Amino acid sequence: MEEGTSNSPSDICSTGKDDNVLPGKDDSVLPGKDDSVLPGKDYDVLQWDAREECEVRQILDRIADKWSLLVIALLEKRTLRFTELKRNIDGISQRMLTTTLRHLERDGIIERTVYPVVPPKVDYALTPLGCTLHETIRSLVLWTEQNQAGIIAARQRYDERASDGL
């Protein structure tokens, strides 16, 4: 391996400087910076920092927005046309749907098939990569459904405290 390169997931957004030190924090060392990302093992969430060149952050920003999540969920079982997607996603504009689809296609999450007919016919479907992402989204939705009552109760408690002046 060349000098300055790494296969470690914690180095995804490496700047080439000593990334084990927090800048401006009296040279505090980041905990777990050398740990690998393994199932069941803690990982360094600071790898998702806001630097522009951070691929993990960019990908998470893309796939975790509400429109992308809805598109991916709708394409789980079948191929859909643009108008079917628009009709099924309440509140999305044509421009936002177009942008979302282009981004997901660029990232390899969906594929766009154009048929040479008049009027033009375009279908959208999940790629194999998109299908693996859908499994993760399904887990998130399941967690939300299982915990929504607790979240609603917490919101009500918070709102009561906030209205009383905290």
Side-chain angles (χ1 to χ4, degrees), residues 54-88:
C54 182
E55 290 294 327
V56 171
R57 178 64 180 263
Q58 290 175 10
I59 293 167
L60 286 172
D61 286 347
R62 174 71 41 81
I63 62 175
D65 75 71
K66 68 179 178 178
W67 303 125
S68 293
L69 290 172
L70 289 169
V71 167
I72 293 164
L74 285 169
L75 293 174
E76 173 197 15
K77 295 186 189 293
R78 63 189 181 121
T79 299
L80 293 172
R81 296 182 71 180
F82 183 92
T83 53
E84 293 171 306
L85 285 165
K86 181 147 178 11
R87 183 173 40 250
N88 284 291

Side-chain angles (χ1 to χ4, degrees), residues 74-144:
L74 285 169
L75 293 174
E76 173 197 15
K77 295 186 189 293
R78 63 189 181 121
T79 299
L80 293 172
R81 296 182 71 180
F82 183 92
T83 53
E84 293 171 306
L85 285 165
K86 181 147 178 11
R87 183 173 40 250
N88 284 291
I89 302 175
D90 188 40
I92 193 167
S93 68
Q94 182 169 334
R95 182 174 186 264
M96 181 54 70
L97 180 55
T98 299
T99 300
T100 300
L101 291 169
R102 285 181 182 158
H103 288 162
L104 291 172
E105 181 182 12
R106 181 173 184 255
D107 289 343
I109 306 299
I110 65 169
E111 62 184 356
R112 179 179 184 257
T113 305
V114 180
Y115 299 94
V117 295
V118 177
K121 179 182 176 189
V122 180
D123 286 338
Y124 296 92
L126 287 180
T127 62
L129 180 63
C131 289
T132 64
L133 177 59
H134 187 269
E135 294 167 15
T136 302
I137 292 170
R138 187 180 306 135
S139 296
L140 180 61
V141 170
L142 181 61
W143 179 90
T144 304

Side-chain angles (χ1 to χ4, degrees), residues 154-164:
R155 287 176 180 173
Q156 289 171 340
R157 288 190 303 273
Y158 177 90
D159 291 346
E160 288 171 6
R161 286 193 318 268
S163 68
D164 293 339

